[in-house]
Structure formats: C-alpha cells, structure tokens
Amino acid sequence: RNGDGRAVLRSSLREFLCSEAMHYLGIPTSRAASLVVSDDDVWRDQFYNGNIKKERGAIVLRLAKSWFRIGSLEILAHSGELDLQRRLLDFIIQEHFPSIALNDSDRYLEFFSTVVSETANLIALWMSVGFAHGVCNTDNFSLLSITIDYGPFGFMDSYDPNFVPNTSDDEGRYKIGNQANIGLFNLNKLLQALKPLLDPRQKQLASQILEGYGQSYYIRFTELFRTKLGLLGDDEDDNYLIAFLLKVSLLC
C-alpha cells in the first residue's frame, strides 16, 4: 500500500458496520460515530494479485474510552523511558481502572492481572460469535481489552479452526484457531514491558498470573458455549459435547 495511511470506502463501510454489530452482540469494542466519503482517489490491490484499481477514499470517526494499547507501553520500555512509562501507567490506571489505588505498591501487578483476565474474556467472546481479528499484534491489543482495530477481519460462515480473514497472512499466524495463543503472546510482551517497574516478588507473581491465562480463557469459552447450547449446570461431559459439535460443523 506504499504506507499512505488511507482507507477506502469499501473497507470503511465494513469497519463501521462490524464495530456496531459487535457492540450490539455485547462484545467490548470501539464504536463508529460517522463515515465521511473523501474526494481523494486511493489505489489498492484488493486481492493482492497485482490488479491495482482506483477506489474512493473514506474516513471513519471511531470512538473509544481509550486508545492505549500494549504497544504503547512496549515502545517506552524498549527505549528505556521508564519514568514516562510509569507516568503513563499511573494515568491509565487512574482514568480507567478505578478499583486500583494509585498508592498501592502492587498497582502494576493488579493492572496486569486485570488485563490478562479481560483479554481472555474478549477473545472467548470473539470465538463465541466466530469473529477472527486479522492483525492481532501488540499495537492492536487494547489495554482496556476492547476490540479497537477493524482492518482485516472476518466471521466464519461455518466452523473452521484454520479460517484466516487476512489475505496477506500467508502463514496463518492469526487464524481463528490461534487467536487465544496470540493473546498469550501479546500478554507476555506486556509482562516484559512491565518487568522494569516490578520488584522480584512482583515479577514472580506476574508470571504466575500469566500462566493462569489459558485456564481463564478455557473457563470463559466453555461458559459461553454452554449458554449457546442451552446447557444447564456444569457437567464434565460438556466440553466433550462442545468439541464434538464443532467437529461435526467442520465436517459439514
């Protein structure tokens, strides 16, 4: 795309509609406030096959409580700007994590624990509606655990763990069956960014919190699919039934 930073009308319409659909499906997300068509022409290779065409440009106004991402902290840690990173973290906690006291020496640990838990919840919600995020890098993962990027994305028509919504993702890194693992990868990057601000005890506890991510995701995923299937209570065979039905869907 030659890094022009522009959007076309086609993708902007999809972004507007999808973010609103996700909101009404009860999935934490940014919202679309307006869509404005631009007079500028934008050149795009829509199917990455060398067939470049002129398209109409557009601008989507998106709204969210915050646009801070894992990458916002990662870049400061990487450049060694720890004082600025600490100030930014305290601001984020004060503005968006009211249950965490700023005078608590473990505030960064509690912040990390909350982000781990809420990220597991967000990805389980994505999976419950067959939504696949096409570019799950650390710069597209919100610290408030909301869906903030609607570049390449897609909904599965039928269950396929290898479904990839991004035509440029040749290796299938962000296939829907790998989204939970990518969440873990990104949270590990967040932990690495936070480590310079943690003491040895806090680092150990943070590692234990991260180890619990998989279980948190698994529990939430199971809860959501039990609800979808109308299962009452908690039976040890529920997970087998869920896996069996997904497999049947794949075969169909």
Side-chain angles (χ1 to χ4, degrees):
R1 298 181 179 179
N2 298 319
D4 62 14
R6 297 181 178 180
V8 297
L9 180 59
R10 164 178 48 84
S11 62
S12 298
L13 283 170
R14 293 179 71 245
E15 177 179 329
F16 190 104
L17 293 172
C18 185
S19 60
E20 289 303 286
M22 293 282 274
H23 171 74
Y24 285 102
L25 285 168
I27 299 174
T29 181
S30 57
R31 301 288 300 276
S34 68
L35 172 62
V36 180
V37 178
S38 168
D39 291 329
D40 294 337
D41 294 325
V42 182
W43 294 90
R44 285 291 182 269
D45 183 356
Q46 181 178 353
F47 298 107
Y48 298 94
N49 59 4
N51 186 19
I52 301 175
K53 293 183 178 180
K54 183 170 65 176
E55 298 191 50
R56 193 77 180 271
I59 300 170
V60 177
L61 173 61
R62 295 186 295 164
L63 302 177
K65 291 182 179 180
S66 170
W67 294 102
F68 288 121
R69 312 117 187 271
I70 291 176
S72 304
L73 300 177
E74 197 177 13
I75 193 171
L76 294 177
H78 180 73
S79 60
E81 298 182 75
L82 300 186
D83 288 340
L84 181 56
Q85 184 185 4
R86 187 177 288 105
R87 288 169 54 197
L88 178 59
L89 262 172
D90 287 343
F91 173 80
I92 292 170
I93 290 171
Q94 182 178 23
E95 291 294 316
H96 303 292
F97 295 80
S99 63
I100 302 175
L102 276 180
N103 59 359
D104 187 344
S105 60
D106 284 334
R107 63 188 181 280
Y108 300 148
L109 186 64
E110 292 185 37
F111 163 80
F112 180 67
S113 179
T114 302
V115 175
V116 169
S117 176
E118 291 304 315
T119 298
N121 176 61
L122 176 64
I123 299 178
L125 284 166
W126 287 355
M127 293 294 290
S128 74
V129 297
F131 173 83
H133 195 301
V135 188
C136 296
N137 55 37
T138 55
D139 208 34
N140 287 333
F141 259 55
S142 163
L143 290 172
L144 271 61
S145 304
I146 61 175
T147 312
I148 58 170
D149 187 84
Y150 288 95
F153 72 86
F155 289 90
M156 291 186 296
D157 293 325
S158 59
Y159 179 70
D160 178 5
N162 294 314
F163 172 70
V164 179
N166 185 353
T167 54
S168 64
D169 185 5
D170 297 327
E171 297 179 357
R173 174 174 173 81
Y174 301 125
K175 63 184 180 182
I176 196 167
N178 200 40
Q179 304 247 310
N181 291 329
I182 290 296
L184 177 60
F185 177 91
N186 290 340
L187 290 169
N188 183 59
K189 291 296 184 181
L190 174 59
L191 176 56
Q192 298 308 312
L194 292 175
K195 275 187 174 180
L197 306 181
L198 305 177
D199 61 33
R201 177 188 64 86
Q202 292 170 336
K203 290 177 183 177
Q204 182 178 5
L205 290 174
S207 295
Q208 292 174 1
I209 290 169
L210 188 59
E211 289 175 2
Y213 163 83
Q215 183 67 9
S216 295
Y217 170 80
Y218 183 74
I219 290 173
R220 185 65 177 129
F221 176 92
T222 304
E223 288 175 348
L224 289 166
F225 275 80
R226 279 200 188 105
T227 300
K228 290 170 76 72
L229 293 171
L231 301 178
L232 302 178
D234 183 356
D235 190 286
E236 61 182 12
D237 291 331
D238 290 349
N239 293 319
Y240 170 79
L241 177 60
I242 293 168
F244 173 76
L245 291 174
L246 289 174
K247 186 176 181 180
V248 169
S249 175
L250 175 61
L251 294 174
C252 292

